[in-house]
Amino acid sequence: MADIVRSIGCIGCGNMGGAIMAGLAERTSYTLYGHNRTRERLRPLVAKGVKAMADAASLVRGSDVIIMGLKPYLVEDALRRILPQLTRDKLVISIAAGVTLGALRDAVEGICPVVRVMPNTPALVGAGMFGLCLEDPNLSDAQKTLVHELFGAIGTTLELAEKSFTAFSALVGAGPAYVFQFMNAVVQAGVTLGFPRAEALRMVIGLFEGSVRMAAASEHSLTELRDQVCSPAGVTIEAINHMDRTALQGHIIDAILAADKKGRELEG
Ligand SMILES: NC(=O)c1ccc[n+]([C@@H]2O[C@H](COP(=O)([O-])OP(=O)(O)OC[C@H]3O[C@@H](n4cnc5c(N)ncnc54)[C@H](OP(=O)(O)O)[C@@H]3O)[C@@H](O)[C@H]2O)c1
């Protein structure tokens, strides 16, 4: 590994790879390279200072760290194609769901260490949640620190055993979709109550931001925080009772378990 990592390249700058690179562009001083099948898609990243590379080989030559942002079924083949440019001082990071560390290590033929990261899209605004699998025995302590620093610059990192990755994907990788779905329902209620949609959205964003910050700062459990809002014979308990009668929490749990089941099926 280069003593000082200066350059990060990403092959496949779509929704997730693009979010990571945009976050890094705004919050770090690494030299950033991006390569994408449809070059047009790099335009917003180039505007943030990412250098567009015409091919994967030149991206790999210039990058100390290579992030694989491709769909899972493309990752191993793409790694085999860049083998001639890989050297032992580089680091490959895959964000692909379901592509195991073993498969990644086989694909790079042990030339350089590999890391699995399970990200989520709030990386775009520096608030991603990243599961890190740092189980490749070829990984040095300095490289482990680097991976924490790199993703720590655009969110929160959590080291996980690889066996927890599928569950983490269903819970956190997919998680922003669940949150947006819930936010959308609250916005829709706001519109139904007579607020213009844009105003309802502003209210809901403030509501979620405040509640999340409170949950993070408080020593109380989520149940206690909920109960503090529910005055006896008040308004809030009516809504909570309705949610409980219709088993909202159970439905949410079942939805996430269904995502986990699908993830396991896809992994075979
Ligand atoms: N989206 C999420 O929230 C999320 C969360 C956790 C993990 N992930 C993981 O992130 C990875 C990417 O998912 P995504 O949702 O970001 O998909 P995506 O938006 O389709 O991004 C994939 C990108 O790869 C590009 N690409 C395809 N073949 C290529 C090639 N040969 N060379 C260079 N670029 C190529 C595509 O180009 P085009 O623009 O031409 O299609 C596309 O921009 C997946 O492995 C997924 O498991 C995603």
Side-chain angles (χ1 to χ4, degrees):
M1 190 81 205
D3 282 339
I4 301 171
V5 167
R6 293 199 168 84
S7 50
I8 317 283
C10 179
I11 301 176
C13 300
N15 291 322
M16 199 58 248
I20 291 172
M21 294 306 273
L24 290 175
E26 282 178 7
R27 291 172 176 79
T28 70
S29 54
Y30 296 110
T31 301
L32 300 173
Y33 298 109
H35 168 63
N36 198 65
R37 182 175 55 192
T38 310
R39 205 182 159 100
E40 185 63 16
R41 210 162 170 182
L42 290 173
R43 197 183 283 184
L45 291 178
V46 170
K48 290 180 194 290
V50 176
K51 298 179 199 330
M53 304 301 276
D55 57 86
S58 25
L59 177 140
V60 175
R61 264 193 297 273
S63 305
D64 299 320
V65 175
I66 299 111
I67 298 174
M68 302 301 289
L70 301 167
K71 289 285 189 196
Y73 74 97
L74 294 171
V75 170
E76 287 162 77
D77 186 48
L79 284 173
R80 288 195 193 93
R81 284 172 197 268
I82 58 167
L83 277 180
Q85 290 78 41
L86 281 182
T87 50
R88 59 193 289 272
D89 59 343
K90 296 191 190 283
L91 175 65
V92 166
I93 299 178
S94 165
I95 61 168
V99 182
T100 64
L101 200 62
L104 295 168
R105 293 187 65 200
D106 285 351
V108 302
E109 298 183 357
I111 293 174
C112 68
V114 291
V115 167
R116 266 188 87 181
V117 172
M118 180 46 59
N120 67 7
T121 49
L124 185 66
V125 292
M129 179 78 222
F130 302 97
L132 313 179
C133 173
L134 305 176
E135 292 176 354
D136 184 341
N138 293 332
L139 208 58
S140 68
D141 285 345
Q143 286 169 326
K144 290 179 186 176
T145 305
L146 165 76
V147 176
H148 274 288
E149 281 173 5
L150 183 60
F151 290 97
I154 51 173
T156 304
T157 59
L158 183 68
E159 203 168 323
L160 288 177
E162 187 169 32
K163 63 179 166 50
S164 303
F165 255 57
T166 312
F168 184 83
S169 297
L171 197 63
V172 174
Y178 317 148
V179 176
F180 298 141
Q181 179 91 335
F182 186 42
M183 289 174 76
N184 212 24
V186 186
V187 169
Q188 197 164 317
V191 174
T192 311
L193 290 170
F195 296 104
R197 185 167 288 276
E199 202 171 287
L201 178 61
R202 270 207 310 281
M203 291 175 187
V204 170
I205 287 172
L207 165 68
F208 274 68
E209 273 179 349
S211 307
V212 166
R213 278 173 53 189
M214 196 171 159
S218 175
E219 287 172 2
H220 295 290
S221 71
L222 293 174
T223 310
E224 287 166 339
L225 291 175
R226 181 200 64 190
D227 290 348
Q228 285 167 9
V229 192
C230 296
S231 317
V235 169
T236 319
I237 194 70
E238 285 297 320
I240 295 296
N241 283 342
H242 187 81
M243 288 178 184
D244 282 354
R245 268 194 304 274
T246 53
L248 180 66
Q249 290 211 69
H251 285 303
I252 293 170
I253 293 165
D254 284 354
I256 296 172
L257 296 186
D260 178 68
K261 183 165 174 273
K262 179 74 178 180
R264 284 170 209 281
E265 280 168 14
L266 288 175
E267 283 165 28

